[in-house]
Amino acid sequence: MKASRTMFVLLGLTLAASTSFAEPKVVIQYDCIPNYANWGGVTAAYEKKTGVRVPPDMKGSSAAMAALDAEKRNPLADVAYYSGAIGFQAAEKGLHQPYKPAAWDKIPATLKDPEGRWFAVHTAAVAFIVNRAALKGKPVPRTWDDLLKPEYKGMIAYDDPTWGGTSYTLVYGRNILMGGTNTDFGPGLAYFRKLDSNIVHYPRESVYNDVLRGEIPIWINADGNGLKMKYVDKGDIEVVIPEDGSVSMPLVMGMVAGAPHAKETKKYLDWLFTDEAQALFAEAFFMPVIASALPPDLASKFPSNKEYEVVRDLSLADMSAAANSLKQAWLDQVKNRK
Amino acid sequence: MVVLGSFVNTSYLGISSEQWVSGSEGLISFKWFGYVFDLYGSHMLFSLRLALLSVILCLAIGVPGGYVLACRPFRGSRALEELFMLPLSIPGIAVALALINAYSVIRGKWWLVLCGHLLYTVPFMLRVVTNTLRSFDIQRYEVAARSLGAGFFKRFVLVILPNLRHAMIVGSLLVFAVSWGEFNVSFLLNTPLHQTYPAALFATYTSNSFQVSSAATTLFLMVIIPVLLLIQRLGGSELARVEQGA
Amino acid sequence: MKRPILLIMILPALALIFSLLVWPLALLFVSSVQSTGNAIGAAPGRAGLSLSNYVEILTDPWYFGALVNSLWLSFSVAALSILLCLGPAWLLVRGDFPGKSWIRALFTLPMSFSGVIVGFLVVIMLGRIGFIPQFMESLTGRAFLSGSAYQFTGLLVAYIYFEVPRALLTLESSLKKFDFQLETAARSLGAGRWQRFFWVVLPNLWPALLSTFSLTFCVSLGSFGVALIISKRFALMPVEIFQQFTGFLNTGLASAMCIVLVAIAFTVNYGLRMLSGRREVPSA
């Protein structure tokens, strides 16, 4: 008698545990880091509005593209988010299907693919995110050359460019700024080789937590992340646009070819360009691509226009074409040369 | 030597627990707990369900299996037992990679994660069961029961199972604890829709602020520490024999 | 006697282990002898079977370094854990004092902590601005051990932290089986404490020590969570496997690395078992 009672309990538990694994309405987005560009807030708002879940995903741009590539025959994802160069590359590889979101005409021509295989949702600029408290009195670096100074030894980090698109953009961008070209990586890589002695390590995932705590004092990454640390998380952070030049980074999305939830995905993409969603991106200090959606109170918190003058826009096509060879060259010459 | 060893370890444990208290400044306001729940609540639920399912399946697989291995050994059963224990020695990521490679078609399904968990939890249940069965002469009871006319099934349910009750409870707790904290295999097998809580913890350690990661970790510990304490109270020595055999 | 029922009872376990472990591992081996190439690099995949992945692991300084690091780390962790636990295990078995079960509980708590948690804990304690360096700094003005979380020391500490419970429990249970009469006899024959230890206790404990070592070694070798968080410039094999598979789509190389780790774990496990088997001292 006791045995059968326990049996029932167990059976009940089994049923409870295994049911409701049925999938609710979902859109799967690769590279949907909650604390990056406020994807957490954006997806929460969307779920509240429509009941459709977009679960968090921690892949970096290159990792997302690699996953799409691996799943080509049996796509699991509906949409992916990347740094511009990688998104462009993914589209070139045929991993995306063309789709023009409802607000198509409002997106600037330079920030979208004519056929709709990729389009920018917001933009950022490469900056130094500096934890002033962690510097312990040392001056805040203002230029790329400043970073080479020995006083910053063991204090700097930038993500592994073979994983994250932001870092790939900054490596490519620095090369161009120093006079290199799409095929000549010499100047840029020479710089990064020198910088290596000041580098703590090359993270393969976000180090937002570490930088905010001061574990890593200087992070070369998107300005938006630093601004969020400063204004939302109230860290003692300064976001520095390098005075000797920087590069802008459009952050793009593309609808995956063969997306399992195509209908829901299209609605989701449409919604991302509404003022409501764009303003949410702005809350994490990523510049909305639909300029009119930027709330004025947030606009004042971005660095001044004057500082942004040195930021160059680069051709995504060029960046994408050089991607494989630059990544490999970086691996060979900077990371693995020990 | 004795004193030093124990002192070092206890103090280390003490310090690290204290770290959590001191590091979780924002914890007093429950705001961060709410944030974690919003964002990763589904992860927690998934991990809980996995743990529960693991317990049930381990009981179903491990108890009969353990009985056969302990009470009805046959040629090669020792080797088979070793085989069952094998996953514990093999790197989790290798197991995960092997599963993905072999069953790439079902990669997107949530129960592949469960399979990984089972590989790592069934050995524990098996061990606890076989240890108990071997520790006292169960054959005598069985013979007695059989001589009184009890059939196999009746013997199993009325003689074996009650004696295994304690082992099953400890085993279930162990399985639950292992499954709840499992990261090595799960990380690679997670699907976008269904992810385990330790994977969520990893996400908070990297991309979120310290307040969020502290809150998330506290929630994790709140589930596992009671379980571990319960295991200790119920069967500290069982645990020892399980570990030794592995 | 009741053959069919017994078979049914053990069938699920058998099915589990064969379909989920044996078969996939076999396929993994097949995958490891195929050259799938680097998704971003200049090395395209080549058709046909080859040992090129294994060669690459052995010849590329980065991968080989990761392998050596993993092996050396696991070895050190296992050895040190045993040394650290010998005393407490002895105490727990021989001593009888209040709060004994609390001590045991305290020690074994970290055992089920997810690896990621342990990793994060170590970063908090021994990172660049870790608790311990800051404490040192406030005492002495210099931040000792700053950043050691990411070096060998920090890794050692992290791994030992969660291996100690395992080692302790195993040693404790083996000590329980130890026939203390032998030791008493030796003492009554006039053997000093260290003599007793080296000539009576150790030889009898040897098999248990070896099996503890092998378990600790294997678990450390495969530990992924901790490695992911704190292995930065100190390369470790499980992380390299992850990177190759997820980032570079180089399934062949990742498989080969896995097989290497599995093979090593196997060898250590069975090798030590054979070794301790032969050394079995019959109880007096």
Side-chain angles (χ1 to χ4, degrees), chain A residues 6-18, chain B residues 48-64 114 118 121-122 125 168 171-173 175-176 179:
Chain A
T6 18
M7 290 285 213
F8 270 122
V9 173
L10 280 180
L11 202 64
L13 279 173
T14 323
L15 280 171
S18 49
Chain B
L48 274 175
R49 283 193 185 138
L50 273 185
L52 224 58
L53 276 176
S54 296
V55 168
I56 293 169
L57 285 173
C58 273
L59 283 171
I61 298 178
V63 171
L114 182 63
L118 283 178
T121 51
V122 164
M125 181 65 86
M168 288 203 287
S172 302
L173 289 171
V175 168
F176 187 87
S179 172

Side-chain angles (χ1 to χ4, degrees), chain B residues 2 5-6 9-10 12-13 15-16 19-20 61 64-65 67-69 72 80 82-84 86-94 97-103 115 118-119 122 152 156 177 181 183-184 187-188 198 201-202 205 210 213 217 220-221 224 228 232 239-240 243-244 246, chain C residues 5-6 9-10 12-14 16-17 19-21 23-25 27-28 31 87-88 91 104-110 112-114 116-117 120-121 124-125 131 157 161 164 166 169-170 173-174 177 215 218 222-225 228-229 238 242 245 254-255 258 261-262 265-266 269 273:
Chain B
V2 167
S6 30
N9 280 296
T10 330
Y12 192 88
L13 266 161
I15 290 183
S16 35
Q19 256 310 289
W20 283 116
I61 298 178
Y67 173 76
V68 172
L69 287 173
R72 304 298 174 95
L80 206 61
E82 295 279 325
L83 189 63
F84 289 138
L86 203 57
L88 295 180
S89 306
I90 295 188
I93 190 170
L97 204 64
L99 281 175
I100 294 177
N101 196 41
Y103 299 115
C115 289
L118 283 178
L119 272 177
V122 164
F152 178 79
F156 189 74
F183 182 78
N184 297 348
F187 192 61
L188 217 53
L201 280 179
F202 179 67
Y205 292 151
F210 190 53
S213 48
T217 311
F220 176 89
L221 292 175
I224 207 171
L228 287 179
Q232 280 301 317
L239 205 61
E243 291 301 329
Q244 182 192 32
Chain C
I5 295 238
L6 289 184
M9 286 172 87
I10 201 158
L14 274 176
L16 190 84
I17 204 83
S19 64
L20 296 183
L21 191 70
W23 176 240
L25 277 182
L27 284 183
L28 198 69
S31 156
L91 196 70
R104 193 196 281 125
L106 206 61
F107 272 72
T108 53
L109 211 56
S112 264
F113 280 3
S114 190
V116 277
I117 299 191
F120 194 53
L121 264 177
I124 296 207
M125 295 261 285
F131 184 70
V157 166
Y161 184 64
V164 153
R166 210 176 300 262
L169 286 174
T170 321
S173 85
S174 314
K177 294 207 181 98
L215 183 67
C218 291
S223 178
F224 180 52
L228 203 56
I229 297 221
F242 178 67
F245 183 65
S255 309
C258 282
L261 283 186
V262 171
F266 248 63
N269 218 357
R273 203 174 291 247

Side-chain angles (χ1 to χ4, degrees), chain A residues 163 196 204 213-215 328, chain C residues 41 128-129 150 233 239 243:
Chain A
W163 274 71
D196 182 65
R204 279 172 302 260
R213 282 187 301 123
E215 178 80 18
Q328 187 67 46
Chain C
R128 210 191 63 92
I129 49 160
Y150 309 112
R233 301 210 101 164
V239 178
Q243 190 161 14

